[in-house]
Amino acid sequence: MAAAVEQARALRPQVTTTDPVAQLEKLAGLRDRGVITDEEFAVQKAKILGE
């Protein structure tokens, strides 16, 4: 069972990116669709930009 879980994790595509522009664009899209609030966007933006 544990082997199957590990195999599934290995096959899962990586969702994270180290490109701050791509991260901000994704967050902006979430904000624009109403998935996250302006405040949540601002917090995550500050984290990405290292502020």
Side-chain angles (χ1 to χ4, degrees):
M1 179 77 166
V5 171
E6 288 302 317
Q7 184 180 15
R9 286 183 183 152
L11 295 175
R12 183 177 53 199
Q14 295 297 319
V15 201
T16 58
T17 179
T18 57
D19 178 21
V21 173
Q23 290 176 323
L24 291 172
E25 288 174 340
K26 182 178 177 180
L27 283 172
L30 293 172
R31 180 198 57 203
D32 293 346
R33 292 193 316 265
V35 176
I36 63 173
T37 65
D38 287 336
E39 293 79 19
E40 291 168 321
F41 174 80
V43 167
Q44 294 303 317
K45 178 182 169 187
K47 286 181 184 178
I48 291 168
L49 297 177
E51 297 176 351

